[in-house]
Amino acid sequence: MKRYVTVFSSIIIAFTASGGIRAYAVEAPEISAKAAAVISADTGEVLYAHNAAEKLPMASTTKIMTVLLCLESGGLYDEFTVDSEAIKVEGSSMGLREGDTVTKYALCCGMLLPSGNDAANAAAVKISGSIEKFAALMNARAREMGLSKTYFVTPSGLEGEGHGSSAADMAILAREALKNDLFRQICSQTSMKLRFGDPPYERWLKNTNKLLTMYDGVYGVKTGFTDEAGRCLVSACERGGKDLICVTLNDRNDWNDHMALYDHVFQTARIIDVPLPTDIFADVAGGSADKLRLKAKTDHVSVTTSAGDLSDFDFTVLGQPFMYAPVKSGDEAGELRISYMGREVERVPLYADEDITCENKSSADSKKGLLRKIKETIGRAFSR
């Protein structure tokens, strides 16, 4: 019997030789997943969805959050001895034994490549002191990200009461994690040589994500499997400037489903160039001018979208309330945050586009001018 899935409809617009416009409906593939989502890695826009909001167990894709928190905790290359109780856990392993010396960096590799449950537990205890306290940290971060269907009980993905997420939430989690350059670097490797043990020695770890070598452009992210969750997969792929993240939960045919979904969404998604504002100014204190013109090194950013248009993008200047003179053209002077429908897309450095010299006034006048500028800035801040 033919099975139907619920998806967002997709249409390709083509220009004919005569100048007319023809619309072609692009049929989404049939997949085996209980839930799936494909989003733009640039904007977080949902480009495909099938039961994407349903909360389900997500197995070891849980480790995306664990690795992100571990990378952000600092001291990645400091050596320490693993907690002997934490590493006593069932399931996949990076091969830790009692008394092993490791680093947090090695544990992150052990989680993302061979999907080590021992690595996840060891990292959790090192960072928070216990599995339970680390789970609380995971849930706090999930709330910050707006993951409304996500709840963590374990750092590894082994089931606990209430442990689960949705395909849409996992896609957003992966998007956030991939903003971390080290996370992206690790999850893209098919294998890695690491040094750990008692005493430490070199050994190879192999990535369980076969999609890295099955489909051109795939650069991550994480596999998962338990009896309850079934096969789960979070992947990311970039082709022709289009950057996508795909999630399937409880999917017996996940490799093929991800490739089919990428074939589909790469066909229906498009790239738009978003022009950056040119009238950006910063306040200057103690200078020959009160305003400093700012400029980015690029005049636009390219983003992957389906339904988005230029009116969906907002810009916010980030930096100090004002700059102190003198300022030289080319000095870094803040950042421009580009947002799509309220969600951050990218941050672009801003630079001074002109020279501002110190004002040629008496020291007393300069101090008065500086105090006036500070009061004006504080006044604007409180009036918003």
Side-chain angles (χ1 to χ4, degrees):
M1 180 177 67
K2 188 173 182 179
R3 186 169 56 86
Y4 294 89
V5 296
T6 302
V7 300
F8 292 118
S9 60
S10 301
I11 294 178
I12 288 181
I13 305 296
F15 290 89
T16 66
S18 61
I21 299 177
R22 301 169 73 182
Y24 299 90
V26 180
E27 187 175 352
E30 292 188 8
I31 60 173
S32 301
K34 188 170 183 180
V38 181
I39 69 168
S40 163
D42 297 324
T43 66
E45 176 189 354
V46 178
L47 307 178
Y48 169 97
H50 166 57
N51 296 335
E54 182 178 353
K55 182 179 176 181
L56 296 167
M58 67 291 201
S60 283
T61 61
T62 295
K63 296 186 179 82
I64 296 172
M65 177 65 89
T66 306
V67 172
L68 178 60
L69 293 175
C70 189
L71 291 175
E72 292 176 344
S73 67
L76 297 181
Y77 304 101
D78 298 338
E79 294 185 337
F80 64 94
T81 303
V82 296
D83 183 272
S84 57
E85 292 301 314
I87 62 174
K88 295 176 182 178
V89 58
E90 62 181 319
S92 53
S93 168
M94 71 174 287
L96 294 176
R97 297 183 178 182
E98 187 173 352
D100 277 358
T101 297
V102 297
T103 62
K104 289 181 182 177
Y105 173 78
L107 294 179
C108 289
C109 298
M111 284 185 272
L112 286 177
L113 273 72
S115 195
N117 295 336
D118 52 352
N121 279 8
V125 172
K126 175 62 177 177
I127 294 168
S128 298
S130 71
I131 301 296
E132 294 74 20
K133 289 181 180 179
F134 187 77
L137 185 64
M138 297 171 79
N139 288 317
R141 188 58 184 279
R143 288 192 294 272
E144 289 178 8
M145 294 182 189
L147 308 183
S148 61
K149 298 297 180 67
T150 301
Y151 184 72
F152 295 104
V153 177
T154 69
S156 63
L158 292 176
E159 278 77 17
E161 186 175 354
H163 189 97
S165 185
S166 67
D169 275 10
M170 291 305 298
I172 293 300
L173 170 57
R175 178 176 179 267
E176 292 299 315
L178 288 167
K179 292 178 182 178
N180 185 297
D181 291 338
L182 196 50
F183 182 100
R184 180 164 177 155
Q185 177 187 334
I186 296 170
C187 75
S188 67
Q189 303 300 307
T190 57
S191 62
M192 294 184 70
K193 182 188 287 187
L194 288 177
R195 182 179 177 84
F196 62 92
D198 182 23
Y201 65 93
E202 290 185 342
R203 78 277 300 278
W204 285 91
L205 300 181
K206 187 176 180 180
N207 201 324
T208 57
N209 186 4
K210 296 180 181 179
L211 204 62
L212 289 169
T213 58
M214 293 176 68
Y215 195 82
D216 289 342
V218 171
Y219 59 89
V221 176
K222 187 71 193 73
T223 62
F225 173 79
T226 63
D227 289 339
E228 180 183 352
R231 293 179 62 87
C232 301
L233 179 61
V234 178
S235 69
C237 185
E238 187 173 8
R239 274 190 180 182
K242 299 176 184 178
D243 201 358
L244 306 177
I245 294 170
C246 181
V247 178
T248 53
L249 301 179
N250 199 335
D251 185 3
R252 64 181 182 276
N253 195 28
D254 51 2
W255 310 124
N256 289 328
D257 283 347
H258 275 240
M259 291 188 286
L261 288 170
Y262 280 133
D263 286 344
H264 171 66
V265 180
F266 275 128
Q267 189 178 9
T268 59
R270 59 194 173 91
I271 297 175
I272 62 172
D273 291 332
V274 181
L276 302 184
T278 56
D279 56 340
I280 306 174
F281 294 88
D283 291 332
V284 179
S288 55
D290 291 332
K291 297 287 184 180
L292 170 68
R293 186 172 60 252
L294 305 181
K295 185 179 181 181
K297 284 191 174 180
T298 180
D299 60 1
H300 72 277
V301 295
S302 299
V303 300
T304 306
T305 184
S306 177
D309 60 42
L310 297 182
S311 65
D312 296 321
F313 292 86
D314 297 308
F315 306 92
T316 306
V317 177
L318 305 175
Q320 298 177 351
F322 53 84
M323 300 187 67
Y324 294 97
V327 181
K328 290 185 177 181
S329 180
D331 286 352
E332 190 163 348
E335 291 181 311
L336 181 67
R337 180 171 63 197
I338 302 107
S339 301
Y340 171 82
M341 305 289 282
R343 181 180 290 121
E344 183 175 309
V345 173
E346 189 175 346
R347 294 190 182 190
V348 177
L350 292 172
Y351 302 90
D353 195 35
E354 57 185 330
D355 294 332
I356 300 290
T357 60
C358 290
E359 60 183 345
N360 187 21
K361 296 181 180 179
S362 68
S363 176
D365 288 342
S366 295
K367 289 181 179 178
K368 287 180 181 178
L370 179 57
L371 288 173
R372 184 180 68 254
K373 180 65 68 176
I374 293 172
K375 289 179 179 179
E376 290 174 353
T377 304
I378 294 174
R380 285 196 298 272
F382 279 97
S383 65
R384 290 173 183 170

